[in-house]
Short mmCIF file of all heavy atoms in Angstrom, two decimals:
data_model
loop_
_atom_site.label_atom_id
_atom_site.label_comp_id
_atom_site.label_asym_id
_atom_site.label_seq_id
_atom_site.Cartn_x
_atom_site.Cartn_y
_atom_site.Cartn_z
N MET A 182 43.91 -166.46 0.70
CA MET A 182 42.67 -165.89 0.18
C MET A 182 42.20 -166.68 -1.04
O MET A 182 42.99 -167.19 -1.80
CB MET A 182 42.89 -164.45 -0.24
CG MET A 182 42.83 -163.46 0.89
SD MET A 182 42.84 -161.81 0.23
CE MET A 182 41.20 -161.36 0.59
N THR A 183 40.92 -166.72 -1.20
CA THR A 183 40.36 -167.41 -2.36
C THR A 183 40.08 -166.41 -3.46
O THR A 183 39.81 -165.24 -3.21
CB THR A 183 39.06 -168.13 -1.98
OG1 THR A 183 38.12 -167.16 -1.53
CG2 THR A 183 39.29 -169.17 -0.91
N ASP A 184 40.16 -166.91 -4.68
CA ASP A 184 39.84 -166.04 -5.81
C ASP A 184 38.33 -165.90 -5.91
O ASP A 184 37.60 -166.88 -5.85
CB ASP A 184 40.38 -166.64 -7.12
CG ASP A 184 41.89 -166.62 -7.16
OD1 ASP A 184 42.47 -165.72 -6.52
OD2 ASP A 184 42.47 -167.50 -7.81
N GLN A 185 37.90 -164.67 -6.07
CA GLN A 185 36.48 -164.42 -6.22
C GLN A 185 36.15 -164.21 -7.68
O GLN A 185 36.99 -163.77 -8.46
CB GLN A 185 36.06 -163.19 -5.42
CG GLN A 185 36.18 -163.38 -3.93
CD GLN A 185 35.73 -162.13 -3.19
OE1 GLN A 185 35.48 -161.10 -3.80
NE2 GLN A 185 35.63 -162.23 -1.88
N GLU A 186 34.90 -164.54 -8.03
CA GLU A 186 34.46 -164.30 -9.39
C GLU A 186 34.41 -162.79 -9.64
O GLU A 186 34.06 -162.03 -8.75
CB GLU A 186 33.04 -164.85 -9.60
CG GLU A 186 32.96 -166.32 -9.72
CD GLU A 186 31.53 -166.77 -10.04
OE1 GLU A 186 30.71 -165.91 -10.39
OE2 GLU A 186 31.28 -167.96 -9.92
N PRO A 187 34.75 -162.37 -10.84
CA PRO A 187 34.60 -160.95 -11.13
C PRO A 187 33.12 -160.58 -11.12
O PRO A 187 32.26 -161.40 -11.39
CB PRO A 187 35.19 -160.80 -12.53
CG PRO A 187 35.22 -162.17 -13.09
CD PRO A 187 35.28 -163.12 -11.94
N LYS A 188 32.85 -159.33 -10.76
CA LYS A 188 31.45 -158.90 -10.73
C LYS A 188 30.87 -158.95 -12.12
O LYS A 188 31.50 -158.56 -13.09
CB LYS A 188 31.36 -157.49 -10.18
CG LYS A 188 31.56 -157.42 -8.69
CD LYS A 188 31.05 -156.13 -8.16
CE LYS A 188 30.10 -156.48 -7.06
NZ LYS A 188 29.24 -155.46 -6.62
N ARG A 189 29.66 -159.43 -12.20
CA ARG A 189 28.99 -159.49 -13.49
C ARG A 189 27.77 -158.59 -13.43
O ARG A 189 27.18 -158.43 -12.36
CB ARG A 189 28.62 -160.91 -13.86
CG ARG A 189 27.66 -161.59 -12.95
CD ARG A 189 27.49 -163.06 -13.34
NE ARG A 189 26.57 -163.71 -12.47
CZ ARG A 189 25.27 -163.84 -12.71
NH1 ARG A 189 24.76 -163.36 -13.81
NH2 ARG A 189 24.48 -164.45 -11.87
N PRO A 190 27.36 -158.04 -14.56
CA PRO A 190 26.16 -157.18 -14.56
C PRO A 190 24.93 -157.94 -14.09
O PRO A 190 24.80 -159.14 -14.29
CB PRO A 190 26.03 -156.79 -16.04
CG PRO A 190 27.37 -156.99 -16.63
CD PRO A 190 28.00 -158.10 -15.86
N ARG A 191 24.01 -157.23 -13.47
CA ARG A 191 22.81 -157.84 -12.91
C ARG A 191 21.87 -158.40 -13.98
O ARG A 191 21.10 -159.31 -13.71
CB ARG A 191 22.03 -156.84 -12.06
CG ARG A 191 22.70 -156.52 -10.78
CD ARG A 191 21.78 -155.60 -9.97
NE ARG A 191 22.29 -155.40 -8.64
CZ ARG A 191 21.98 -156.14 -7.60
NH1 ARG A 191 21.16 -157.15 -7.75
NH2 ARG A 191 22.47 -155.88 -6.42
N TRP A 192 21.91 -157.83 -15.18
CA TRP A 192 20.96 -158.26 -16.20
C TRP A 192 21.31 -159.61 -16.80
O TRP A 192 20.49 -160.21 -17.48
CB TRP A 192 20.85 -157.22 -17.32
CG TRP A 192 22.14 -156.96 -18.05
CD1 TRP A 192 23.04 -155.99 -17.76
CD2 TRP A 192 22.66 -157.67 -19.15
NE1 TRP A 192 24.10 -156.07 -18.62
CE2 TRP A 192 23.89 -157.08 -19.49
CE3 TRP A 192 22.22 -158.75 -19.90
CZ2 TRP A 192 24.68 -157.55 -20.53
CZ3 TRP A 192 23.00 -159.21 -20.94
CH2 TRP A 192 24.21 -158.60 -21.25
N LEU A 193 22.50 -160.11 -16.53
CA LEU A 193 22.87 -161.41 -17.09
C LEU A 193 22.00 -162.51 -16.49
O LEU A 193 21.84 -162.62 -15.29
CB LEU A 193 24.33 -161.72 -16.81
CG LEU A 193 25.36 -160.90 -17.57
CD1 LEU A 193 26.75 -161.37 -17.20
CD2 LEU A 193 25.16 -161.02 -19.05
N ALA A 194 21.43 -163.32 -17.36
CA ALA A 194 20.53 -164.37 -16.89
C ALA A 194 21.28 -165.64 -16.52
O ALA A 194 21.01 -166.25 -15.49
CB ALA A 194 19.50 -164.67 -17.97
N ALA A 195 22.22 -166.06 -17.34
CA ALA A 195 22.93 -167.31 -17.11
C ALA A 195 24.30 -167.03 -16.50
O ALA A 195 24.90 -165.99 -16.72
CB ALA A 195 23.08 -168.08 -18.41
N ARG A 196 24.79 -168.00 -15.76
CA ARG A 196 26.10 -167.84 -15.13
C ARG A 196 27.26 -168.25 -16.02
O ARG A 196 28.39 -167.91 -15.75
CB ARG A 196 26.15 -168.65 -13.84
CG ARG A 196 25.24 -168.13 -12.77
CD ARG A 196 25.41 -168.94 -11.50
NE ARG A 196 24.53 -168.46 -10.47
CZ ARG A 196 24.91 -167.61 -9.53
NH1 ARG A 196 26.12 -167.16 -9.51
NH2 ARG A 196 24.05 -167.22 -8.62
N THR A 197 26.97 -169.02 -17.06
CA THR A 197 28.02 -169.47 -17.96
C THR A 197 27.60 -169.28 -19.41
O THR A 197 26.41 -169.11 -19.72
CB THR A 197 28.33 -170.97 -17.75
OG1 THR A 197 27.17 -171.73 -18.10
CG2 THR A 197 28.74 -171.27 -16.33
N GLU A 198 28.58 -169.34 -20.28
CA GLU A 198 28.33 -169.20 -21.72
C GLU A 198 27.48 -170.35 -22.23
O GLU A 198 26.52 -170.15 -22.99
CB GLU A 198 29.68 -169.17 -22.44
CG GLU A 198 29.58 -169.05 -23.92
CD GLU A 198 30.95 -169.08 -24.57
OE1 GLU A 198 31.97 -168.89 -23.89
OE2 GLU A 198 30.99 -169.31 -25.78
N THR A 199 27.78 -171.56 -21.79
CA THR A 199 27.02 -172.73 -22.24
C THR A 199 25.57 -172.67 -21.75
O THR A 199 24.64 -173.00 -22.49
CB THR A 199 27.69 -174.02 -21.73
OG1 THR A 199 29.04 -174.03 -22.15
CG2 THR A 199 26.99 -175.25 -22.25
N GLY A 200 25.38 -172.25 -20.52
CA GLY A 200 24.03 -172.12 -19.98
C GLY A 200 23.20 -171.11 -20.77
O GLY A 200 22.02 -171.33 -21.04
N ALA A 201 23.82 -170.00 -21.13
CA ALA A 201 23.12 -168.98 -21.91
C ALA A 201 22.77 -169.51 -23.30
O ALA A 201 21.68 -169.24 -23.82
CB ALA A 201 23.97 -167.73 -22.02
N LEU A 202 23.67 -170.28 -23.89
CA LEU A 202 23.41 -170.84 -25.22
C LEU A 202 22.24 -171.83 -25.19
O LEU A 202 21.32 -171.73 -26.00
CB LEU A 202 24.67 -171.52 -25.75
CG LEU A 202 24.55 -172.19 -27.12
CD1 LEU A 202 24.27 -171.15 -28.19
CD2 LEU A 202 25.82 -172.96 -27.43
N ILE A 203 22.26 -172.74 -24.24
CA ILE A 203 21.20 -173.75 -24.15
C ILE A 203 19.85 -173.09 -23.87
O ILE A 203 18.84 -173.40 -24.50
CB ILE A 203 21.55 -174.78 -23.06
CG1 ILE A 203 22.75 -175.62 -23.51
CG2 ILE A 203 20.36 -175.68 -22.74
CD1 ILE A 203 23.35 -176.47 -22.42
N THR A 204 19.83 -172.16 -22.93
CA THR A 204 18.57 -171.50 -22.58
C THR A 204 18.08 -170.62 -23.72
O THR A 204 16.88 -170.54 -23.99
CB THR A 204 18.75 -170.67 -21.30
OG1 THR A 204 19.37 -171.48 -20.31
CG2 THR A 204 17.44 -170.17 -20.78
N GLY A 205 18.99 -169.94 -24.40
CA GLY A 205 18.61 -169.11 -25.55
C GLY A 205 17.99 -169.92 -26.66
O GLY A 205 16.98 -169.53 -27.25
N ILE A 206 18.56 -171.08 -26.92
CA ILE A 206 17.99 -171.98 -27.94
C ILE A 206 16.60 -172.45 -27.50
O ILE A 206 15.66 -172.48 -28.29
CB ILE A 206 18.92 -173.17 -28.21
CG1 ILE A 206 20.19 -172.69 -28.94
CG2 ILE A 206 18.21 -174.26 -29.01
CD1 ILE A 206 21.27 -173.74 -29.05
N GLY A 207 16.46 -172.80 -26.23
CA GLY A 207 15.16 -173.27 -25.72
C GLY A 207 14.08 -172.22 -25.84
O GLY A 207 12.97 -172.50 -26.30
N TYR A 208 14.38 -170.98 -25.45
CA TYR A 208 13.38 -169.91 -25.56
C TYR A 208 13.06 -169.59 -27.02
O TYR A 208 11.92 -169.26 -27.34
CB TYR A 208 13.86 -168.65 -24.85
CG TYR A 208 13.69 -168.70 -23.34
CD1 TYR A 208 14.72 -168.32 -22.49
CD2 TYR A 208 12.50 -169.12 -22.77
CE1 TYR A 208 14.58 -168.36 -21.12
CE2 TYR A 208 12.34 -169.17 -21.40
CZ TYR A 208 13.38 -168.78 -20.58
OH TYR A 208 13.22 -168.83 -19.22
N THR A 209 14.05 -169.70 -27.88
CA THR A 209 13.80 -169.45 -29.30
C THR A 209 12.86 -170.51 -29.88
O THR A 209 11.94 -170.19 -30.64
CB THR A 209 15.13 -169.42 -30.08
OG1 THR A 209 15.98 -168.41 -29.51
CG2 THR A 209 14.90 -169.10 -31.54
N VAL A 210 13.08 -171.76 -29.51
CA VAL A 210 12.20 -172.84 -29.97
C VAL A 210 10.78 -172.63 -29.44
O VAL A 210 9.79 -172.79 -30.18
CB VAL A 210 12.75 -174.22 -29.54
CG1 VAL A 210 11.73 -175.32 -29.75
CG2 VAL A 210 14.04 -174.52 -30.29
N LEU A 211 10.65 -172.26 -28.17
CA LEU A 211 9.32 -171.99 -27.62
C LEU A 211 8.64 -170.82 -28.33
O LEU A 211 7.43 -170.86 -28.59
CB LEU A 211 9.42 -171.69 -26.12
CG LEU A 211 9.62 -172.89 -25.21
CD1 LEU A 211 9.84 -172.42 -23.77
CD2 LEU A 211 8.42 -173.81 -25.28
N PHE A 212 9.41 -169.77 -28.65
CA PHE A 212 8.85 -168.64 -29.37
C PHE A 212 8.28 -169.08 -30.72
O PHE A 212 7.16 -168.73 -31.08
CB PHE A 212 9.92 -167.55 -29.58
CG PHE A 212 9.53 -166.51 -30.58
CD1 PHE A 212 8.51 -165.62 -30.29
CD2 PHE A 212 10.16 -166.44 -31.80
CE1 PHE A 212 8.13 -164.66 -31.22
CE2 PHE A 212 9.79 -165.49 -32.73
CZ PHE A 212 8.78 -164.59 -32.44
N ILE A 213 9.05 -169.88 -31.45
CA ILE A 213 8.59 -170.36 -32.76
C ILE A 213 7.34 -171.23 -32.60
O ILE A 213 6.38 -171.11 -33.36
CB ILE A 213 9.72 -171.12 -33.48
CG1 ILE A 213 10.84 -170.15 -33.85
CG2 ILE A 213 9.20 -171.85 -34.71
CD1 ILE A 213 12.11 -170.80 -34.33
N LEU A 214 7.32 -172.07 -31.57
CA LEU A 214 6.16 -172.93 -31.32
C LEU A 214 4.91 -172.10 -31.04
O LEU A 214 3.86 -172.32 -31.65
CB LEU A 214 6.45 -173.87 -30.14
CG LEU A 214 5.31 -174.77 -29.70
CD1 LEU A 214 5.03 -175.82 -30.78
CD2 LEU A 214 5.64 -175.43 -28.39
N PHE A 215 5.02 -171.13 -30.12
CA PHE A 215 3.86 -170.29 -29.81
C PHE A 215 3.43 -169.45 -31.01
O PHE A 215 2.25 -169.20 -31.21
CB PHE A 215 4.14 -169.40 -28.61
CG PHE A 215 4.09 -170.12 -27.29
CD1 PHE A 215 5.17 -170.09 -26.42
CD2 PHE A 215 2.96 -170.84 -26.92
CE1 PHE A 215 5.12 -170.75 -25.21
CE2 PHE A 215 2.90 -171.51 -25.71
CZ PHE A 215 3.99 -171.46 -24.86
N LEU A 216 4.39 -169.02 -31.81
CA LEU A 216 4.06 -168.25 -33.01
C LEU A 216 3.27 -169.10 -34.00
O LEU A 216 2.26 -168.65 -34.55
CB LEU A 216 5.34 -167.72 -33.66
CG LEU A 216 5.17 -166.84 -34.88
CD1 LEU A 216 4.52 -165.52 -34.48
CD2 LEU A 216 6.51 -166.59 -35.54
N LEU A 217 3.70 -170.34 -34.19
CA LEU A 217 2.99 -171.24 -35.10
C LEU A 217 1.58 -171.55 -34.60
O LEU A 217 0.63 -171.62 -35.38
CB LEU A 217 3.78 -172.53 -35.30
CG LEU A 217 5.07 -172.40 -36.11
CD1 LEU A 217 5.82 -173.73 -36.11
CD2 LEU A 217 4.78 -171.94 -37.52
N ILE A 218 1.44 -171.74 -33.29
CA ILE A 218 0.12 -172.01 -32.72
C ILE A 218 -0.78 -170.79 -32.89
O ILE A 218 -1.95 -170.92 -33.26
CB ILE A 218 0.23 -172.41 -31.23
CG1 ILE A 218 0.91 -173.77 -31.11
CG2 ILE A 218 -1.14 -172.44 -30.57
CD1 ILE A 218 1.26 -174.15 -29.69
N ALA A 219 -0.24 -169.60 -32.64
CA ALA A 219 -1.04 -168.38 -32.76
C ALA A 219 -1.48 -168.14 -34.20
O ALA A 219 -2.63 -167.77 -34.45
CB ALA A 219 -0.24 -167.18 -32.26
N VAL A 220 -0.61 -168.39 -35.16
CA VAL A 220 -0.96 -168.22 -36.57
C VAL A 220 -1.99 -169.26 -37.00
O VAL A 220 -2.87 -168.97 -37.81
CB VAL A 220 0.32 -168.29 -37.45
CG1 VAL A 220 -0.03 -168.39 -38.92
CG2 VAL A 220 1.20 -167.08 -37.19
N GLY A 221 -1.92 -170.43 -36.42
CA GLY A 221 -2.84 -171.51 -36.78
C GLY A 221 -4.19 -171.42 -36.11
O GLY A 221 -4.97 -172.36 -36.17
N GLY A 222 -4.50 -170.31 -35.46
CA GLY A 222 -5.81 -170.13 -34.86
C GLY A 222 -5.81 -170.21 -33.34
O GLY A 222 -6.84 -170.48 -32.74
N GLY A 223 -4.67 -169.99 -32.74
CA GLY A 223 -4.58 -170.02 -31.28
C GLY A 223 -5.20 -168.79 -30.65
O GLY A 223 -5.66 -167.87 -31.33
N SER A 224 -5.20 -168.75 -29.35
CA SER A 224 -5.80 -167.63 -28.62
C SER A 224 -4.78 -166.52 -28.39
O SER A 224 -3.61 -166.62 -28.77
CB SER A 224 -6.34 -168.13 -27.28
OG SER A 224 -5.26 -168.52 -26.45
N ALA A 225 -5.25 -165.49 -27.73
CA ALA A 225 -4.38 -164.35 -27.40
C ALA A 225 -3.29 -164.77 -26.41
O ALA A 225 -2.21 -164.17 -26.38
CB ALA A 225 -5.21 -163.21 -26.82
N TRP A 226 -3.56 -165.82 -25.63
CA TRP A 226 -2.55 -166.30 -24.69
C TRP A 226 -1.31 -166.81 -25.43
O TRP A 226 -0.19 -166.64 -24.96
CB TRP A 226 -3.11 -167.42 -23.81
CG TRP A 226 -3.99 -166.88 -22.73
CD1 TRP A 226 -5.35 -166.96 -22.67
CD2 TRP A 226 -3.57 -166.15 -21.57
NE1 TRP A 226 -5.80 -166.34 -21.55
CE2 TRP A 226 -4.73 -165.83 -20.85
CE3 TRP A 226 -2.34 -165.74 -21.08
CZ2 TRP A 226 -4.69 -165.11 -19.66
CZ3 TRP A 226 -2.30 -165.02 -19.89
CH2 TRP A 226 -3.46 -164.72 -19.20
N ASN A 227 -1.52 -167.43 -26.57
CA ASN A 227 -0.38 -167.90 -27.36
C ASN A 227 0.47 -166.74 -27.84
O ASN A 227 1.70 -166.82 -27.86
CB ASN A 227 -0.86 -168.73 -28.55
CG ASN A 227 -1.57 -169.98 -28.11
OD1 ASN A 227 -2.76 -170.11 -28.36
ND2 ASN A 227 -0.87 -170.88 -27.46
N VAL A 228 -0.18 -165.65 -28.21
CA VAL A 228 0.55 -164.46 -28.65
C VAL A 228 1.34 -163.88 -27.48
O VAL A 228 2.52 -163.55 -27.61
CB VAL A 228 -0.42 -163.41 -29.24
CG1 VAL A 228 0.33 -162.13 -29.58
CG2 VAL A 228 -1.12 -163.97 -30.46
N LEU A 229 0.69 -163.77 -26.32
CA LEU A 229 1.37 -163.22 -25.14
C LEU A 229 2.55 -164.10 -24.71
O LEU A 229 3.62 -163.59 -24.38
CB LEU A 229 0.38 -163.06 -23.99
CG LEU A 229 -0.66 -161.96 -24.16
CD1 LEU A 229 -1.67 -162.01 -23.03
CD2 LEU A 229 0.01 -160.61 -24.23
N LEU A 230 2.35 -165.40 -24.71
CA LEU A 230 3.45 -166.30 -24.35
C LEU A 230 4.58 -166.23 -25.39
O LEU A 230 5.76 -166.33 -25.03
CB LEU A 230 2.94 -167.73 -24.20
CG LEU A 230 2.09 -167.99 -22.96
CD1 LEU A 230 1.48 -169.38 -23.01
CD2 LEU A 230 2.91 -167.81 -21.70
N GLY A 231 4.21 -166.07 -26.65
CA GLY A 231 5.23 -165.92 -27.69
C GLY A 231 6.06 -164.66 -27.49
O GLY A 231 7.27 -164.68 -27.64
N ILE A 232 5.39 -163.56 -27.14
CA ILE A 232 6.11 -162.31 -26.87
C ILE A 232 7.03 -162.46 -25.67
O ILE A 232 8.18 -162.02 -25.68
CB ILE A 232 5.12 -161.15 -26.68
CG1 ILE A 232 4.41 -160.84 -28.00
CG2 ILE A 232 5.81 -159.91 -26.13
CD1 ILE A 232 3.24 -159.90 -27.87
N LEU A 233 6.53 -163.11 -24.62
CA LEU A 233 7.35 -163.35 -23.42
C LEU A 233 8.58 -164.17 -23.76
O LEU A 233 9.70 -163.85 -23.34
CB LEU A 233 6.52 -164.04 -22.34
CG LEU A 233 7.28 -164.45 -21.08
CD1 LEU A 233 7.77 -163.21 -20.35
CD2 LEU A 233 6.39 -165.29 -20.19
N CYS A 234 8.39 -165.23 -24.53
CA CYS A 234 9.53 -166.07 -24.93
C CYS A 234 10.51 -165.29 -25.80
O CYS A 234 11.72 -165.49 -25.69
CB CYS A 234 9.04 -167.31 -25.68
SG CYS A 234 8.29 -168.52 -24.59
N ALA A 235 10.01 -164.40 -26.65
CA ALA A 235 10.90 -163.60 -27.48
C ALA A 235 11.76 -162.68 -26.63
O ALA A 235 12.97 -162.53 -26.87
CB ALA A 235 10.09 -162.79 -28.49
N VAL A 236 11.18 -162.07 -25.61
CA VAL A 236 11.94 -161.18 -24.72
C VAL A 236 12.98 -161.98 -23.94
O VAL A 236 14.15 -161.57 -23.84
CB VAL A 236 10.98 -160.44 -23.77
CG1 VAL A 236 11.73 -159.72 -22.67
CG2 VAL A 236 10.11 -159.46 -24.55
N LEU A 237 12.56 -163.11 -23.39
CA LEU A 237 13.51 -163.94 -22.63
C LEU A 237 14.63 -164.47 -23.53
O LEU A 237 15.79 -164.53 -23.10
CB LEU A 237 12.77 -165.09 -21.95
CG LEU A 237 11.81 -164.68 -20.83
CD1 LEU A 237 11.00 -165.89 -20.37
CD2 LEU A 237 12.57 -164.06 -19.68
N ALA A 238 14.29 -164.83 -24.76
CA ALA A 238 15.32 -165.31 -25.69
C ALA A 238 16.32 -164.19 -25.99
O ALA A 238 17.53 -164.43 -26.05
CB ALA A 238 14.67 -165.82 -26.97
N ALA A 239 15.82 -162.97 -26.17
CA ALA A 239 16.72 -161.84 -26.45
C ALA A 239 17.69 -161.61 -25.29
O ALA A 239 18.88 -161.35 -25.51
CB ALA A 239 15.90 -160.59 -26.74
N VAL A 240 17.19 -161.71 -24.07
CA VAL A 240 18.06 -161.54 -22.90
C VAL A 240 19.11 -162.65 -22.85
O VAL A 240 20.29 -162.39 -22.59
CB VAL A 240 17.23 -161.50 -21.60
CG1 VAL A 240 18.13 -161.56 -20.37
CG2 VAL A 240 16.37 -160.26 -21.55
N GLU A 241 18.70 -163.87 -23.11
CA GLU A 241 19.65 -164.98 -23.09
C GLU A 241 20.70 -164.86 -24.20
O GLU A 241 21.87 -165.13 -23.98
CB GLU A 241 18.93 -166.32 -23.20
CG GLU A 241 18.15 -166.68 -21.96
CD GLU A 241 19.02 -166.90 -20.74
OE1 GLU A 241 20.22 -167.19 -20.87
OE2 GLU A 241 18.48 -166.79 -19.63
N TRP A 242 20.28 -164.47 -25.39
CA TRP A 242 21.26 -164.30 -26.47
C TRP A 242 22.21 -163.16 -26.17
O TRP A 242 23.41 -163.24 -26.48
CB TRP A 242 20.56 -164.11 -27.81
CG TRP A 242 19.97 -165.39 -28.32
CD1 TRP A 242 18.65 -165.66 -28.50
CD2 TRP A 242 20.67 -166.57 -28.70
NE1 TRP A 242 18.49 -166.94 -28.97
CE2 TRP A 242 19.71 -167.53 -29.10
CE3 TRP A 242 22.02 -166.92 -28.73
CZ2 TRP A 242 20.06 -168.81 -29.53
CZ3 TRP A 242 22.35 -168.20 -29.16
CH2 TRP A 242 21.39 -169.12 -29.55
N ALA A 243 21.71 -162.08 -25.55
CA ALA A 243 22.60 -160.99 -25.15
C ALA A 243 23.59 -161.47 -24.09
O ALA A 243 24.77 -161.08 -24.10
CB ALA A 243 21.78 -159.81 -24.63
N THR A 244 23.12 -162.32 -23.18
CA THR A 244 24.01 -162.89 -22.17
C THR A 244 25.08 -163.76 -22.82
O THR A 244 26.26 -163.70 -22.45
CB THR A 244 23.20 -163.73 -21.16
OG1 THR A 244 22.21 -162.91 -20.57
CG2 THR A 244 24.08 -164.31 -20.08
N TYR A 245 24.68 -164.55 -23.79
CA TYR A 245 25.63 -165.40 -24.50
C TYR A 245 26.70 -164.55 -25.19
O TYR A 245 27.89 -164.85 -25.09
CB TYR A 245 24.88 -166.26 -25.52
CG TYR A 245 25.80 -167.10 -26.39
CD1 TYR A 245 26.47 -168.19 -25.85
CD2 TYR A 245 25.99 -166.79 -27.73
CE1 TYR A 245 27.32 -168.95 -26.63
CE2 TYR A 245 26.83 -167.55 -28.52
CZ TYR A 245 27.50 -168.63 -27.97
OH TYR A 245 28.34 -169.37 -28.75
N VAL A 246 26.29 -163.49 -25.86
CA VAL A 246 27.26 -162.61 -26.53
C VAL A 246 28.19 -161.96 -25.50
O VAL A 246 29.40 -161.87 -25.73
CB VAL A 246 26.52 -161.54 -27.37
CG1 VAL A 246 27.47 -160.46 -27.86
CG2 VAL A 246 25.80 -162.19 -28.53
N TYR A 247 27.64 -161.55 -24.36
CA TYR A 247 28.47 -160.97 -23.30
C TYR A 247 29.54 -161.95 -22.85
O TYR A 247 30.71 -161.61 -22.74
CB TYR A 247 27.59 -160.56 -22.12
CG TYR A 247 28.39 -160.07 -20.94
CD1 TYR A 247 28.79 -158.75 -20.86
CD2 TYR A 247 28.76 -160.93 -19.91
CE1 TYR A 247 29.53 -158.29 -19.78
CE2 TYR A 247 29.50 -160.49 -18.83
CZ TYR A 247 29.88 -159.17 -18.77
OH TYR A 247 30.62 -158.73 -17.71
N TRP A 248 29.13 -163.19 -22.56
CA TRP A 248 30.10 -164.18 -22.09
C TRP A 248 31.14 -164.50 -23.16
O TRP A 248 32.30 -164.76 -22.85
CB TRP A 248 29.40 -165.46 -21.64
CG TRP A 248 28.75 -165.34 -20.29
CD1 TRP A 248 27.45 -165.55 -20.01
CD2 TRP A 248 29.37 -164.97 -19.05
NE1 TRP A 248 27.21 -165.34 -18.67
CE2 TRP A 248 28.37 -164.98 -18.06
CE3 TRP A 248 30.66 -164.63 -18.69
CZ2 TRP A 248 28.62 -164.67 -16.74
CZ3 TRP A 248 30.92 -164.32 -17.36
CH2 TRP A 248 29.91 -164.34 -16.40
N ARG A 249 30.73 -164.52 -24.44
CA ARG A 249 31.69 -164.77 -25.52
C ARG A 249 32.76 -163.68 -25.58
O ARG A 249 33.92 -163.95 -25.82
CB ARG A 249 30.98 -164.84 -26.87
CG ARG A 249 30.10 -166.05 -27.07
CD ARG A 249 30.88 -167.24 -27.48
NE ARG A 249 31.66 -166.96 -28.68
CZ ARG A 249 31.97 -167.85 -29.58
NH1 ARG A 249 31.53 -169.07 -29.44
NH2 ARG A 249 32.72 -167.55 -30.60
N ARG A 250 32.34 -162.46 -25.39
CA ARG A 250 33.28 -161.32 -25.47
C ARG A 250 34.16 -161.19 -24.24
O ARG A 250 35.25 -160.66 -24.31
CB ARG A 250 32.52 -160.02 -25.67
CG ARG A 250 31.90 -159.93 -27.04
CD ARG A 250 31.29 -158.59 -27.27
NE ARG A 250 30.70 -158.54 -28.60
CZ ARG A 250 29.89 -157.61 -29.01
NH1 ARG A 250 29.55 -156.61 -28.18
NH2 ARG A 250 29.40 -157.60 -30.20
N HIS A 251 33.66 -161.64 -23.08
CA HIS A 251 34.40 -161.44 -21.84
C HIS A 251 35.00 -162.71 -21.26
O HIS A 251 35.34 -162.76 -20.08
CB HIS A 251 33.47 -160.80 -20.79
CG HIS A 251 33.12 -159.40 -21.11
ND1 HIS A 251 32.02 -159.08 -21.88
CD2 HIS A 251 33.73 -158.24 -20.81
CE1 HIS A 251 31.96 -157.78 -22.02
NE2 HIS A 251 32.97 -157.24 -21.41
N ARG A 252 35.09 -163.75 -22.05
CA ARG A 252 35.73 -164.95 -21.51
C ARG A 252 37.24 -164.77 -21.57
O ARG A 252 37.78 -164.06 -22.37
CB ARG A 252 35.26 -166.19 -22.24
CG ARG A 252 35.91 -166.42 -23.57
CD ARG A 252 35.49 -167.72 -24.14
NE ARG A 252 35.38 -167.53 -25.60
CZ ARG A 252 34.96 -168.44 -26.42
NH1 ARG A 252 34.58 -169.58 -25.97
NH2 ARG A 252 34.93 -168.20 -27.69
N GLY A 253 37.86 -165.47 -20.73
CA GLY A 253 39.29 -165.35 -20.81
C GLY A 253 39.90 -165.31 -19.48
O GLY A 253 40.89 -165.44 -19.05
#
């Protein structure tokens, strides 16, 4: 028999700790970029994209914390 991966919660976005870290950093950078554009006179789309990036970054950072706690 082959070893199967343990079941992981459905809300986890990344499959590995490193993937969650890289993606979390990327979404955080995009959030800051859209925030700066919106403050500098951007449109409502910049605000909406910034909010979307903030939500996605939060999910990725939560995934990263989950993988850190459950590695082993």
Side-chain angles (χ1 to χ4, degrees):
M182 278 189 109
T183 61
D184 292 331
Q185 293 181 352
E186 285 185 13
K188 285 197 127 195
R189 62 187 180 93
R191 289 185 172 268
W192 61 267
L193 289 181
R196 292 183 181 263
T197 64
E198 180 182 344
T199 305
L202 178 64
I203 292 168
T204 310
I206 290 171
Y208 281 133
T209 303
V210 168
L211 283 175
F212 167 69
I213 292 169
L214 177 69
F215 284 125
L216 183 67
L217 290 174
I218 292 171
V220 169
S224 67
W226 283 107
N227 296 114
V228 175
L229 290 174
L230 288 172
I232 292 170
L233 176 65
C234 286
V236 170
L237 292 172
V240 170
E241 289 296 337
W242 286 115
T244 302
Y245 175 71
V246 169
Y247 175 85
W248 284 122
R249 290 279 304 210
R250 290 186 181 167
H251 291 89
R252 79 175 144 184

